[in-house]
């Protein structure tokens, strides 16, 4: 009997007697990674040591990670000698896995046992009861990304197997299997309407329709249970009314012979459209621009083989990239996702920065920076392309439910994009124009969550710009944020706006919780992270705020003005007044930060500039009063409020 490698749940090696066998964890992880590569590419060649080291440790210090790899290899070889077998073969330059030396659940997932569709589905359900590498503790960034991509792929395999097995399901036992598979998929994609329908049919065949309704209700509100958000009862009632009134065209009939009819595969909607924009950015010379464009073409070609996404041709992508109004073209061509690429050069280290953007919500779904040093790009171009393609495929699949929301409401989406464009400019006429567009979107679709969250933001921005402390504006912002969450609890934007509203209402702890949840829902959502940073400033945690806003700027390098405003506020609270002024000077429109500029110059002792900015504020807001303003701007600790008060008094307010 062979050794057995178990990778679903706890990563471990099992000896022929059925007992766990000690083996270096990094060695077992390397086996899984190399086995995946061989199975997908049909290759059993050596993998470069340097590439494996970067995957395992994520360090820019090549000597450091190669030393780590040498130590791991030594431990692996010693253990293999004790076991009397080779799972990994090491040469001077590479590593190779020996799949014939062990059995494993990872390989069984690719070719599950079972001669029929139901048998294969049964084996997949057994394997996938636990997540892939769920017990792995020490993970690099590269490892985490690879594991996430694997889990997405596993779910795709299970979905395909479920579709294939559906027509063959006849008995109650078959239906029970179908239900178990659908529940496993539902755990990862609770908004998938096809899976919901399959579950509903299965539960109804068992006379447990009410149980299905409770399941759906629980999944819809599980995010709300993590945080007391005070949901709008009327809006929630409307959503429940829609849910309760839903009629299903088919019901599961149970004939006298005991067999059960299960619906066949459901018709699928249009595939999400993805455009990969060619790189812009630095004026890099030589072959670098050409090679990086070729890299993006490699990614495009790789994605064209998928049946889960529709890729816009490179020629059209190049024209969109050059067009001054990308938003218009993206809307016209019904593009669901944009991969924006940019060449960067930090201290002579060229890199390709990529970010996947959902244009409907302006959300950065995923971002990464890839080194483009000549030796690395030429030798690893294909590896980088495969990694980008794999990540894109997984991220697009995760966001298909959001795609359905946008594509199902094209008129609402159009108005929403117009509102989104105007809200980015921090001026009252633009804010009110944006509000009008969001209201128009809601006339087309009353429960369109992105427009509801956008409407919430308009009231928040107006409250900030007018500086009157109008709590009615904050109440409206909170109300629409709640409505957005009810309409779509998986949308991070609703929690973001709720967090900001709670901040200015003085509920700092609730604000931090809401924004933390927004970040968990969408860890690459730059605007959400920027709002989190702003709340941390007010929560008297300026150092944490500065770290968050730097993260947001790294995700959105050509960031909007309010990012810099938040960074300036964090620096001010830390007593770094010159740094705060540097951030303000980088703003396209510095007017909203004139109060902060006056305060910074005053604390630096430059009264000429302090008075200059004080007068600019007075010209726009002649009735501005320091004490009144500070009474409505929340700061958790008194020292922060006194610091601001002293600075504004020195400036002449």
């Amino acid at each position: 009997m062979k050794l057995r490698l178990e990778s679903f749940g706890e990563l471990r090696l099992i000896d022929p007697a059925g007992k766990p066998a000690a083996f270096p964890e990094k060695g077992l992880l390397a086996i899984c990674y190399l086995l995946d590569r061989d199975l997908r590419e049909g290759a059993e060649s050596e993998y470069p040591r340097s590439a494996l080291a970067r995957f395992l440790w994520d360090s820019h210090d090549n000597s450091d990670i190669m030393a780590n790899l040498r130590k791991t290899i030594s431990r692996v070889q010693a253990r293999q000698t004790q076991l009397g077998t080779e799972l990994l073969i090491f040469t001077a330059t590479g590593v190779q896995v020996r799949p014939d030396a062990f059995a494993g659940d990872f390989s069984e997932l690719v070719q599950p046992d079972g001669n029929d569709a139901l048998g294969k589905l049964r084996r997949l359900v057994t394997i996938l009861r636990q997540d892939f590498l769920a017990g792995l503790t020490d993970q690099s960034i590269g490892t985490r990304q690879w594991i996430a991509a694997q889990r997405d792929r596993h779910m795709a395999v299970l979905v395909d197997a479920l579709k294939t097995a559906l027509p063959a399901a006849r008995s109650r036992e078959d239906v029970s299997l179908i239900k178990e598979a659908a529940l496993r998929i539902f755990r990862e994609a609770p908004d998938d309407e096809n899976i919901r329908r399959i579950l509903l049919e299965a539960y109804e065949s068992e006379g447990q329709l009410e149980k299905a309704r409770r399941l759906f209700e629980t999944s819809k509100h599980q995010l709300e249970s993590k945080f007391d958000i005070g949901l709008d009862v009327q809006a929630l009632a409307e959503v429940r009314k829609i849910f309760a009134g839903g009629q299903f065209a088919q019901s599961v009939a149970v004939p006298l012979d005991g067999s059960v009819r299960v619906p066949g595969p459901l018709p699928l909607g249009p595939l999400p459209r993805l455009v990969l924009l060619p790189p812009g950015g630095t004026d890099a010379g030589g072959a670098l621009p050409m090679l990086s464009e070729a890299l993006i073409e490699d990614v495009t070609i790789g994605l064209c083989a998928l049946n889960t996404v529709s890729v816009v041709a490179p020629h059209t992508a190049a024209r969109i990239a050059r067009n001054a109004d990308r938003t218009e073209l993206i809307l016209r061509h019904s593009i669901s996702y944009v991969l924006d690429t940019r060449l960067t050069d930090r201290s002579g280290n060229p890199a390709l920065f990529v970010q996947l953007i959902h244009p409907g919500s302006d959300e950065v779904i995923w971002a990464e920076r890839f080194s483009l040093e000549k030796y690395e790009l030429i030798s690893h171009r294909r590896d980088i392309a495969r990694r980008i393609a794999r990540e894109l495929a997984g991220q697009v699949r995760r966001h298909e439910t959001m795609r359905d929301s946008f594509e199902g409401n094209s008129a609402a989406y159009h108005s929403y994009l117009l509102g989104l464009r105007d809200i980015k400019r921090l001026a009252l006429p633009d804010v009110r124009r944006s509000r009008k567009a969001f209201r128009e979107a809601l006339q087309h679709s009353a429960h369109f969550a992105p427009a509801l969250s956008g409407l919430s933001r308009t009231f928040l921005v107006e409250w900030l710009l007018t500086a009157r402390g109008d709590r009615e504006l904050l109440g409206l912002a909170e109300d629409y944020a709640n409505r957005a969450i009810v309409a779509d609890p998986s949308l991070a934007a609703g929690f973001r706006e709720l967090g900001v509203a709670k901040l200015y209402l003085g509920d700092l702890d609730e604000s931090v919780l809401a924004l933390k949840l927004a970040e968990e829902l969408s860890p690459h959502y730059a605007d959400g992270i920027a709002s989190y940073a702003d709340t941390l400033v007010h929560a008297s945690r300026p150092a944490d705020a500065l770290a968050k806003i730097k993260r947001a700027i790294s995700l959105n390098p050509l960031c909007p003005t309010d990012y810099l405003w938040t960074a300036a506020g964090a620096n001010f609270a830390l007593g770094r007044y010159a740094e705060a002024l540097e951030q303000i000077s980088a703003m396209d429109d510095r007017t909203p930060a004139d109060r902060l500029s006056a305060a910074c110059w005053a604390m630096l002792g430059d009264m000429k500039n302090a008075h200059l900015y004080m007068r600019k504020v007075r010209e726009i807001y002649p009735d501005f009063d320091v004490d009144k303003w500070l009474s409505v701007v929340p700061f958790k600790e008194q020292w922060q409020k006194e610091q601001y008060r002293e600075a504004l008094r020195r400036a002449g307010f």
Side-chain angles (χ1 to χ4, degrees), residues 430-453:
D430 294 303
V431 171
R432 287 165 181 167
R433 193 180 304 114
S434 172
R435 183 176 302 151
K436 180 181 178 182
F438 288 138
R439 288 192 187 281
E440 288 174 354
L442 292 172
Q443 288 174 1
H444 294 293
S445 179
H447 300 287
F448 192 52
L452 289 165
S453 65

Side-chain angles (χ1 to χ4, degrees), residues 178-198:
I178 294 294
K179 185 177 74 174
E180 187 175 0
L183 281 169
R184 179 66 183 87
I185 299 165
F186 182 78
R187 196 170 86 196
E188 304 298 327
D191 292 324
D192 188 309
E193 289 302 322
N194 285 339
I195 297 300
R196 282 172 169 261
R197 179 181 166 186
I198 291 168

Side-chain angles (χ1 to χ4, degrees), residues 42 46 81 146 552 582 610:
E46 285 188 2
T81 299
W146 174 73
E582 285 179 15

